[in-house]
Amino acid sequence: EVRGFVNTIFGCNEHCTYCVVPATRGMEQSRPMEFILQEIQDLISKGYKEVTLLGQNIDAYGRDMTPRRSFAQLLEYLNANISTEKFRIRYTTSHPRYMSHKAIDAIADLESVCECFHVPFQAGDNEVLKRMRRGYTFESYMKIIDRIRTKSPDAGIFADVIVGFPGETEEQFQRTLDLMEAVKFDNLNSFVYSPRPNTEAALWEDEQVPEDVKKERLQRVQDLAAKHGLERSERYLDKIVEVLVEDSNP
């Protein structure tokens, strides 16, 4: 094993109308930086070369602490104290409502942190985002992307999207495709909306999108995502880069 995973914060204080996490995992609880560092050092001693920091809303890291800390401070602390060269740090998952300039700058600038941003947008239409209770808009999301592109022009940008949210019209779905065209993600995790128990959106029975419509929209998203992924990958043609070999391919 060369890649490990380390929890930084448990739970979530957000209440997105489609998500069951707050009901199943409770309120946010950040782990002390020292504990996170020790766990990473243990992985390094076993030969690990990369770690992914985990958090349902990792940008909320430290806001429940006294004194208050931030995700950017965690990255800076780990970068300064990891006792080995060429060790890589990744993370998941950011929330566009809380992603700060300091976090973007840290990911772009710190030597141990991969220039790789995971910024789920979930939908491109502002009314759908409002009904999801996401707390941002198409326009504010694009400001985050602009900041990333300015600080780290060659960074990888990854995201998650949900299609067929209750009440989503074809016109609203088109805004999701518009956002994808504006960003051109390196990779996109795409999902069909499905009702979850104890969530608000599951109760909107009269607004559920037919399954065949959801599947058709998912296919359109995946086709466009594959096109963009190929375009982004082609920038590496004729380049020599350093890579991490995870396993042999028989």
Side-chain angles (χ1 to χ4, degrees):
E1 293 289 338
V2 295
R3 300 176 65 237
F5 300 86
V6 175
N7 285 304
T8 64
I9 179 172
F10 299 104
C12 182
N13 289 2
E14 303 305 304
H15 291 278
C16 300
T17 56
Y18 57 83
C19 185
V20 73
V21 168
T24 58
R25 300 185 188 175
M27 302 288 285
E28 293 165 356
Q29 185 175 3
S30 302
R31 298 181 66 203
M33 291 184 180
E34 297 78 10
F35 290 6
I36 296 169
L37 175 63
Q38 183 58 58
E39 189 169 342
I40 292 174
Q41 298 286 35
D42 290 344
L43 291 173
I44 290 172
S45 70
K46 297 174 183 176
Y48 285 73
K49 304 298 183 183
E50 178 180 295
V51 68
T52 299
L53 304 176
L54 302 177
Q56 184 71 25
N57 177 10
I58 206 163
D59 294 293
Y61 177 83
R63 67 180 181 181
D64 59 322
M65 291 177 160
T66 303
R68 188 182 178 103
R69 290 181 169 178
S70 69
F71 179 48
Q73 288 175 318
L74 173 63
L75 293 175
E76 291 164 355
Y77 173 80
L78 296 177
N79 185 75
N81 288 282
I82 288 176
S83 57
T84 188
E85 295 183 358
K86 293 190 176 181
F87 186 80
R88 311 198 315 186
I89 299 172
R90 297 181 183 272
Y91 78 93
T92 187
T93 305
S94 284
H95 193 305
R97 183 177 182 180
Y98 301 106
M99 194 169 195
S100 68
H101 285 183
K102 289 183 178 180
I104 293 172
D105 294 350
I107 296 165
D109 296 339
L110 296 176
E111 182 178 1
S112 296
V113 182
C114 294
E115 293 178 65
C116 178
F117 295 82
H118 184 202
V119 196
F121 67 96
Q122 306 301 10
D125 181 77
N126 288 346
E127 181 60 30
V128 174
L129 289 169
K130 182 178 179 180
R131 299 187 77 221
M132 287 180 167
R133 200 178 292 130
R134 291 292 288 171
Y136 54 87
T137 63
F138 182 113
E139 293 76 17
S140 63
Y141 184 88
M142 289 306 303
K143 288 181 180 179
I144 295 171
I145 300 302
D146 291 343
R147 175 75 177 189
I148 292 171
R149 296 290 193 213
T150 298
K151 284 293 300 184
S152 185
D154 200 40
I157 302 180
F158 302 77
D160 303 344
V161 63
I162 297 171
V163 302
F165 185 76
E168 181 187 65
T169 65
E170 175 62 27
E171 182 180 7
Q172 290 172 329
F173 170 70
Q174 185 61 48
R175 291 295 284 161
T176 289
L177 301 181
D178 292 343
L179 190 148
M180 291 174 62
E181 289 284 11
V183 178
K184 297 187 186 299
F185 295 100
D186 290 75
N187 189 58
L188 182 67
N189 301 315
S190 53
F191 306 93
V192 164
Y193 169 79
S194 59
R196 301 297 184 186
N198 302 314
T199 61
E200 289 183 51
L203 302 177
W204 302 338
E205 296 180 1
D206 294 339
E207 300 181 71
Q208 299 298 320
V209 176
E211 288 298 321
D212 61 333
V213 175
K214 290 193 286 188
K215 290 179 180 178
E216 187 269 341
R217 289 177 184 173
L218 180 66
Q219 189 62 57
R220 288 158 65 187
V221 162
Q222 291 179 340
D223 289 345
L224 186 58
K227 174 177 177 288
H228 291 160
L230 178 60
E231 290 176 10
R232 293 290 292 165
S233 295
E234 286 176 341
R235 73 189 189 277
Y236 292 111
L237 287 172
D238 301 320
K239 290 185 179 181
I240 297 174
V241 297
E242 185 176 66
V243 300
L244 173 64
V245 178
E246 300 178 24
D247 200 355
S248 60
N249 186 350

